[in-house]
Amino acid sequence: MDATALFKLTYGLFIASTQWEDNRCGCVINTAAQVTDTPCRMSVTMQKRNFTTELVLKKKSLTISVLSLSCPLDVITHFGYQSGRDTDKFASVPFQTDSLGNPYLKDHMVAYMSLKVTDVIDLDTHYLFLCDVVEAENLDSGKPMTYGDYRALKSGAAAPAAPAQAHQPVVKWVCPVCHYVYDGEVPFEELPDDYVCPICKKPKSIFQKITE
Ligand SMILES: Cc1cc2nc3c(=O)[nH]c(=O)nc-3n(C[C@H](O)[C@H](O)[C@H](O)COP(=O)(O)O)c2cc1C
């Protein structure tokens, strides 16, 4: 199997958020999708280890904020590269609350929807939440950000600016599970053997070398 074929699948980019009792949390996800129209239902797949997932399991509801194409990378870093177990991510970010009491973002978002979880499917490392959409609203007329836009933005931010190098082939090391593109300063080959993907925690050994 050529796992890079799965890179051709397209995804959106979202913040999944919830509040259960005094705990509120949100994290970046790319796995929200509409599954049926009538009734309007969505699926959301979330890693068990995420604090947000733990709270969604208890609350049985969440919001999905849809990132705008113009959303700054630091919003994605804030919600996708740290855990709400260590910090209240909403303490420093303006947010609104939906009718179910869950936070959603307005700034840099084009839409949000409120979901009630109807079924939970255990996928070992993840839970697949099947949900009824109970509210939805457009927030901005801009374009939504896709997962591909995010990857381009991220590698563009890390790429050398020198025009002379623009035509040189670019080598990237990519996690085939979550599509994270390694962009650290240490050459990938020199990373320790116990290096793991910062997003999905898969081992260094499964990373794939891509030349563009
Ligand atoms: C671009 C991107 C996409 C992600 N997609 C998902 C996803 O679909 N499901 C998931 O559970 N985590 C996903 N993550 C990882 C979580 O956002 C990340 O582990 C987060 O720090 C969890 O925070 P929490 O512990 O506060 O919930 C993604 C992260 C990034 C940066």
Side-chain angles (χ1 to χ4, degrees):
M1 182 176 85
D2 181 356
T4 62
L6 281 84
F7 292 2
K8 309 271 168 67
L9 296 174
T10 52
Y11 302 91
L13 211 57
F14 319 96
I15 309 288
S17 314
T18 194
Q19 166 141 7
W20 184 74
E21 297 186 339
D22 292 336
N23 295 301
R24 58 190 180 191
C25 197
C27 68
V28 177
I29 62 163
N30 63 285
T31 51
Q34 183 171 2
V35 286
T36 59
D37 179 41
T38 312
C40 186
R41 284 185 292 202
M42 291 178 61
S43 65
V44 177
T45 312
M46 298 181 66
Q47 297 174 38
K48 285 184 178 176
R49 72 164 71 88
N50 292 1
F51 188 50
T52 312
T53 311
E54 206 177 286
L55 298 182
V56 170
L57 261 187
K58 291 173 175 160
K59 179 76 178 275
K60 292 285 193 308
S61 66
L62 68 155
T63 61
I64 297 294
S65 307
V66 183
L67 271 70
S68 158
L69 183 53
S70 59
C71 181
L73 269 180
D74 60 6
V75 174
I76 300 172
T77 307
H78 183 75
F79 281 96
Y81 286 85
Q82 60 177 344
S83 179
R85 284 182 216 287
D86 313 315
T87 182
D88 176 5
K89 298 184 199 176
F90 283 101
S92 55
V93 174
F95 68 91
Q96 306 273 321
T97 305
D98 75 352
S99 62
L100 301 172
N102 296 318
Y104 65 92
L105 299 182
K106 280 191 94 167
D107 294 355
H108 314 300
M109 304 293 143
V110 293
Y112 88 93
M113 41 233 64
S114 300
L115 312 183
K116 272 189 187 171
V117 177
T118 55
D119 297 279
V120 181
I121 298 169
D122 189 332
L123 299 176
D124 302 327
T125 53
H126 292 65
Y127 287 117
L128 171 62
F129 296 114
L130 290 175
C131 308
D132 285 337
V133 181
V134 294
E135 276 175 35
E137 198 182 309
N138 282 304
L139 301 171
D140 188 279
S141 58
K143 286 190 173 175
M145 184 183 287
T146 65
Y147 192 83
D149 293 329
Y150 159 72
R151 288 176 59 201
L153 191 68
K154 201 163 177 296
S155 42
Q165 295 185 4
H167 66 282
Q168 298 285 335
V170 178
V171 173
K172 294 177 178 174
W173 287 91
V174 181
C175 172
V177 174
C178 71
H179 302 188
Y180 167 76
V181 181
Y182 175 72
D183 66 353
E185 289 177 5
V186 178
F188 186 82
E189 291 86 343
E190 293 172 24
L191 290 172
D193 291 342
D194 61 357
Y195 171 82
V196 293
C197 173
I199 306 296
C200 69
K201 314 298 178 205
K202 291 289 182 293
K204 177 186 176 187
S205 56
I206 71 161
F207 272 66
Q208 295 177 340
K209 191 178 186 177
I210 311 278
T211 305
E212 292 180 341

